[in-house]
């Protein structure tokens, strides 16, 4: 799902030109990930994604704490919260001790998705995909990788490269025609 600046949601399963074949496929061999995608895990993930979709489409506020590692994911699940948000700011801060200015690599973010999702199977995970790590081919690859890693939803930003954290000043976005 994509959430725009106004909070509107839309299912996004395909990029222009058909670069993204759709959800539910195992892309681990094509992107070099070593994942165990069991049928049981996929069923649980679909259930979480369905519940998340219902929450996103409902009116009201969703309590969605920032999640940056396995322990924070377990704490979110232990408190009975249904959704955690893996923010680039949290990951960059805990991994590098820096603001989210695009220093964390795609590989590090994908690994962090796995580290968050696996220990907390009961909570849905929304993962920060930054600006997709580049052009449309990079975006397609990061979406497939996050999906294979277990993310239930991905947030993509429309910032130009180099990007800045969403709450920092002087951000620039791509033209509407490109977004």
């Amino acid at each position: 799902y994509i959430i725009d600046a106004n909070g509107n949601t839309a299912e996004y399963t395909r990029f222009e030109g058909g670069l993204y074949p759709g959800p539910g496929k195992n892309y681990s061999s094509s992107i070099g990930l070593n994942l165990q995608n069991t049928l049981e895990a996929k069923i649980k993930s679909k259930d979480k994604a369905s519940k998340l979709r219902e929450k996103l489409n409902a009116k009201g506020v969703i309590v969605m704490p920032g999640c940056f590692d396995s322990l924070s994911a377990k704490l979110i699940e232990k408190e009975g919260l249904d959704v955690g948000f893996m923010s680039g700011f949290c990951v960059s801060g805990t991994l590098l001790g820096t603001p989210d200015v695009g220093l964390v690599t795609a590989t590090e973010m994908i690994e962090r998705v796995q580290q968050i999702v696996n220990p907390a199977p009961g909570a849905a995970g929304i993962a920060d995909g930054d600006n997709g790590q580049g052009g449309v081919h990079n975006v397609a690859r990061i979406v497939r990788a996050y999906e294979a890693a277990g993310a239930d939803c991905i947030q993509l930003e429309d910032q130009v490269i180099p990007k800045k954290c969403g709450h920092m000043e002087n951000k620039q976005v791509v033209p509407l025609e490109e977004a």
Side-chain angles (χ1 to χ4, degrees), residues 27-130:
Y27 297 97
S28 59
S29 60
S30 66
I31 57 176
L33 294 176
N34 183 12
L35 301 173
Q36 294 181 351
N37 289 320
T38 64
L39 180 59
E40 183 178 317
K42 286 187 177 195
I43 291 170
K44 285 182 183 176
S45 181
K46 286 187 180 200
D47 289 344
K48 288 192 305 181
S50 294
K51 288 178 185 174
L52 178 59
R53 183 178 301 118
E54 288 174 18
K55 284 185 171 292
L56 292 171
N57 288 328
K59 292 187 182 214
V61 175
I62 301 172
V63 176
M64 189 180 336
C67 188
F68 46 87
D69 63 7
S70 299
L71 180 59
S72 62
K74 285 179 145 305
L75 291 172
I76 289 168
E77 185 179 48
K78 184 179 181 212
E79 288 302 311
L81 299 169
D82 298 327
V83 184
F85 178 74
M86 182 194 83
S87 82
F89 182 79
C90 288
V91 172
S92 186
T94 58
L95 184 65
L96 304 174
T98 64
D100 182 16
V101 291
L103 298 175
V104 180
T105 67
T107 302
E108 290 169 324
M109 291 296 282
I110 294 162
E111 288 172 354
R112 196 53 68 106
V113 170
Q114 291 174 290
Q115 294 165 0
I116 289 170
V117 171
N118 291 334
I126 298 178
D128 185 349
D130 289 324

